[in-house]
Amino acid sequence: MTDRYGVIGHPISHSKSPVIHQQFASQAMQELSYEAIDIAPDNLAEELNTLIDSGVKGLNVTVPHKNAITDLVDQLSERAELAGAVNTISIDRHGGVVGDNTDGVGLFRDLTTNLGIELADRHLLILGAGGATRGIVPMLLDAQPASLRIANRTVQKADDIAEQFADLGEITACQFDDLDGLHFDLIINATSAGLTGEVPPFPGSIIDANTVCYDLSYSMGDTPFCVWAAEQGAAETHQGWGMLVEQAAESFLIWRGVRPDTSPVRALLPE
Ligand code: ATR
């Protein structure tokens, strides 16, 4: 029987994950199915059990289930536990449900391998302090930046993340206004404001002609954050398409034992 995989989220019809994983499967000459499955938050536990009972081999997990699913798996990887979020589920040989998180490593590979962005000794800023931020902070600190600052509308959430990861490196927190007059080498937008077409009131002064801006969000056109960053004179702006493909490749590796070459798949998507 063909091995079954899928991505669960709500809404999910827009997901590019089925296309990405089918490309990976053809590249690896492996036969598998991968579908987008819409699960409303209230039905998550029940529908997850149904999928597992039906023999599904693995699942990607996206918005809004990444946090809630941590309570529904049998085991969490260290990085999923640190992030407090799961984006990849696999079923081990004893039928145990294991939650992992490949978002951090996916972003790292896109930034460093694909885009050639240096992180060591650089000043980094993350805008936003939700689940996405928690997932990428350990990887960014591991790269030994000169500093990592987290700015958020609700400053308490940024403070909490800085405190949680203080042992891993130089990390501080503030609100958007406090950024005025500071400069950064890399700015990562991890707010979800772009989903409603908004750019929060970030001070334009944080961007200069050497600043690289990366939006974890992606869209078929430019994202509001990338448009704003380009208007402020950023050196480069990038959407999160590369991270999407790289985190998928890491999931594929976990499930199928092969890490796909991501370049032909990235070439099919916007930059
Ligand atoms: P995700 O899993 O995508 O990180 P989340 O945990 O809901 O989603 O976090 C969303 C982030 O976007 C938060 O940092 C949120 O700010 P608050 O903590 O103050 O709510 C931020 N965000 C969303 N809409 C925003 C807006 N209009 N302006 C500023 N920040 C916004």
Side-chain angles (χ1 to χ4, degrees):
M1 205 172 80
T2 307
D3 288 346
R4 278 180 60 218
Y5 297 86
V7 56
I8 58 174
H10 183 73
I12 199 65
S13 57
H14 64 285
S15 175
K16 295 281 184 253
S17 293
V19 174
I20 293 171
H21 280 279
Q22 287 301 346
Q23 292 284 333
F24 289 165
S26 348
Q27 193 189 102
M29 292 192 287
Q30 296 194 6
E31 204 184 308
L32 55 84
S33 73
Y34 188 107
E35 58 190 307
I37 304 159
D38 197 310
I39 301 183
D42 285 350
N43 304 334
L44 181 59
E46 194 186 329
E47 294 201 30
L48 177 66
N49 280 335
T50 307
L51 281 167
I52 290 166
D53 290 347
S54 75
V56 74
K57 297 278 183 197
L59 293 168
N60 283 127
V61 183
T62 189
V63 177
H65 302 315
K66 285 185 180 187
N67 299 105
I69 210 104
T70 58
D71 294 328
L72 302 176
V73 298
D74 299 319
Q75 198 188 320
L76 285 175
S77 69
E78 194 185 335
R79 56 193 182 180
E81 182 138 26
L82 267 179
V86 162
N87 80 331
T88 307
I89 283 178
S90 46
I91 313 301
D92 70 20
R93 71 181 70 168
H94 310 293
V97 182
V98 182
D100 201 345
N101 191 318
T102 65
D103 284 334
V105 65
L107 175 64
F108 182 78
R109 287 192 73 105
D110 195 37
L111 290 174
T112 58
T113 311
N114 299 340
L115 299 170
I117 296 168
E118 285 286 340
L119 300 174
D121 299 322
R122 301 299 160 103
H123 294 281
L124 316 183
L125 169 65
I126 303 177
L127 300 164
T133 297
R134 223 173 266 280
I136 63 173
V137 162
M139 166 292 283
L140 290 172
L141 287 175
D142 204 38
Q144 306 205 309
S147 66
L148 173 59
R149 183 174 284 246
I150 301 177
N152 197 42
R153 175 177 63 183
T154 313
V155 73
Q156 184 61 49
K157 286 166 71 179
D159 283 335
D160 291 347
I161 293 180
E163 197 183 315
Q164 181 188 350
F165 295 111
D167 290 347
L168 301 183
E170 177 60 34
I171 179 167
T172 53
C174 67
Q175 48 200 10
F176 299 141
D177 282 353
D178 299 332
L179 295 171
D180 206 6
L182 301 179
H183 292 279
F184 297 93
D185 299 302
L186 172 65
I187 300 177
I188 297 171
N189 177 40
T191 73
S192 53
L195 296 176
T196 49
E198 282 172 79
V199 180
F202 311 133
S205 62
I206 56 177
I207 293 178
D208 63 31
N210 297 313
T211 311
V212 174
C213 291
Y214 191 101
D215 195 347
L216 297 189
S217 306
Y218 44 84
S219 83
M220 296 312 281
D222 290 332
T223 62
F225 175 73
C226 285
V227 170
W228 174 83
E231 282 167 6
Q232 311 307 312
E236 297 170 31
T237 63
H238 302 282
Q239 300 193 34
W241 286 108
M243 174 182 174
L244 176 73
V245 178
E246 296 297 340
Q247 62 79 31
E250 293 292 327
S251 298
F252 196 89
L253 171 63
I254 291 169
W255 295 329
R256 310 296 299 180
V258 184
R259 193 179 197 290
D261 174 7
T262 56
S263 52
V265 182
R266 283 185 287 114
L268 298 175
L269 297 167
E271 290 205 4

